[in-house]
Amino acid sequence: MEGEPTNTPGSGGRTIEECQDMIRKSLRTPMVKFLREHLEKAGCGIGDNFIKAVNCEKKMSGGYVSGDGIVVCSNHMNMQDEVNQVVIHELIHAYDDCRAANLDWANCVHHACSEIRAGHLSGDCHYKRELLRGYMKIRGHEQECVRRRVMKSMIANPYCSEAAAKDAMEAVWDVCYNDTKPFDRAP
């Protein structure tokens, strides 16, 4: 997306160019390579422009838009690990979109299922990440974290009220949490 303003040094986050370099690095990580391979096997290969760095007005790290690809919010990224996490999380959404011919992101149940899977399989809720976020619970932290992050994402969906998001998440929790495709088990 040329012509978009980039960050000035010291303003927090990275410039679009710096973030694009970080995305290129993340494409070489084993987990990203694995997910790209499985997208390809599922018939949904992704081109070079599928993952782009952009400046985001909302306080978010990135997102996936069906048919458009993945955006990584450069102005909210500081470290390579953050970019890797966003890319992995969003590639899981892309994989879900690819394998489910009728996935409807406006359907709270569909959205909840993909968020549960992405939160569980991406490593977003690894206990070290949770400690860095200030969540100190050791036992049961992972599922609690996934639930918290699913709700945060779902509430941003204009088609899902908080009550609808919670009901959708609870309705599909067991099935979606235990669906680890394309992995044999949760990484």
Side-chain angles (χ1 to χ4, degrees):
M1 292 191 162
E2 288 187 292
E4 287 195 21
T6 57
N7 284 346
T8 53
S11 67
R14 299 293 179 152
T15 65
I16 288 173
E17 295 79 12
E18 289 170 331
C19 188
Q20 206 59 57
D21 286 342
M22 294 166 97
I23 290 168
R24 277 190 280 281
K25 276 188 189 147
S26 79
L27 294 175
R28 296 192 297 264
T29 64
M31 178 86 102
V32 171
K33 282 182 177 176
F34 176 85
L35 288 166
R36 287 184 69 187
E37 260 173 48
H38 281 82
L39 272 161
E40 195 81 41
K41 285 179 188 170
C44 299
I46 60 173
D48 291 342
N49 239 7
F50 189 77
I51 307 170
K52 325 176 220 347
V54 298
N55 278 327
C56 298
E57 288 182 28
K58 292 181 182 166
K59 180 72 176 117
M60 56 189 265
S61 51
Y64 168 72
V65 177
S66 185
D68 271 356
I70 294 169
V71 295
V72 178
C73 298
S74 60
N75 52 323
H76 300 300
M77 295 292 113
N78 289 301
M79 300 180 312
Q80 183 66 47
D81 182 64
E82 293 170 312
V83 174
N84 295 351
Q85 274 310 118
V86 171
V87 170
I88 291 165
H89 180 104
E90 302 306 336
L91 281 172
I92 292 168
H93 287 319
Y95 178 81
D96 287 350
D97 202 22
C98 176
R99 75 178 179 143
N102 62 348
L103 198 149
D104 177 4
W105 294 98
N107 179 318
C108 300
V109 171
H110 292 193
H111 186 183
C113 188
S114 190
E115 288 297 346
I116 291 165
R117 286 177 32 74
H120 179 51
L121 301 174
S122 67
D124 285 344
C125 290
H126 188 276
Y127 77 93
K128 287 179 187 169
R129 285 191 212 311
E130 280 290 87
L131 287 173
L132 292 172
R133 290 182 192 122
Y135 294 96
M136 305 303 253
K137 190 173 179 182
I138 299 299
R139 205 185 228 42
H141 80 89
E142 201 265 352
Q143 287 193 23
E144 197 174 284
C145 169
V146 172
R147 287 177 189 277
R148 187 181 69 246
R149 293 174 67 83
V150 166
M151 286 302 296
K152 185 178 178 188
S153 186
M154 296 281 302
I155 290 167
N157 181 336
Y159 300 99
C160 302
S161 67
E162 188 169 347
K166 189 165 181 34
D167 289 348
M169 178 179 71
E170 295 304 333
V172 296
W173 179 266
D174 289 338
V175 170
C176 299
Y177 189 84
N178 292 309
D179 176 1
T180 61
K181 286 185 179 61
F183 305 96
D184 294 332
R185 58 182 169 76

